[in-house]
Amino acid sequence: PTMMEGAYLGCSICVSGVCLTATELDTEQKRFKVGLAPETLRKTYLGELKAGDKVNLERASEIGGRNSGHFVQGHVDGVGIVADRWIDADSLFYKIQLESALMSYVVPKGFIAIDGTSLTVCEVDMAANTFTFMLVEYTQKKIIVPAKLKGDKVNIEVDVLGKYSHTAVQAFTQRIEALEAKVKSLEEQLANQ
């Protein structure tokens, strides 16, 4: 199947990890247009692309089908910088520098999407705000990430389940802290009686 097969106006097409809405379709020329909102341009490197630059293209998954990876939404959280890359046998390793605010969602053996490709984190260095991942030989031949060199940008989507968990724990922590303060206040009142 081609990228355009079954496409319709308003459908989601993922471009290098960024979920975009098809606003024009030309199935004969196999071309489509999308709109880029200011938020998309702020959170991704799409605004820096030039005609002829390679991108990963992927259609949205159908609900009810197999999920052979992680939950990739195409909702990019930020941009990382390739800090290093090296070869280990037939695997290609990358070290990515990421803003500290997003590093709390990056864990060893956890999920990360790099330019829309679902990958597993190898190692995390919180002090340096870096993490590593590797690409097996098969994957290297199917995506654009292996063309990324030191200093290049990559779109990053952290694990949505991690974001939900973080939000839930924050809300729970605030309630516990409020209850602890109330208990302490009551204890002081009892002690002063």
Side-chain angles (χ1 to χ4, degrees), residues 117-133:
T117 301
S118 170
L119 298 166
T120 301
V121 174
C122 295
E123 296 177 349
V124 176
D125 183 342
M126 295 302 277
N129 290 326
T130 61
F131 67 91
T132 62
F133 66 88

Side-chain angles (χ1 to χ4, degrees), residues 177-189:
E177 288 171 353
L179 286 170
E180 286 175 343
K182 192 168 194 167
V183 167
K184 184 177 180 181
S185 172
L186 291 171
E187 287 174 337
E188 288 172 356
Q189 288 175 14

Side-chain angles (χ1 to χ4, degrees), residues 96-116:
I96 304 295
Q97 181 85 45
L98 187 61
E99 63 183 278
S100 60
L102 292 177
M103 283 298 296
S104 62
Y105 304 109
V106 182
V107 296
K109 306 302 178 224
F111 148 82
I112 195 97
I114 308 291
D115 281 349

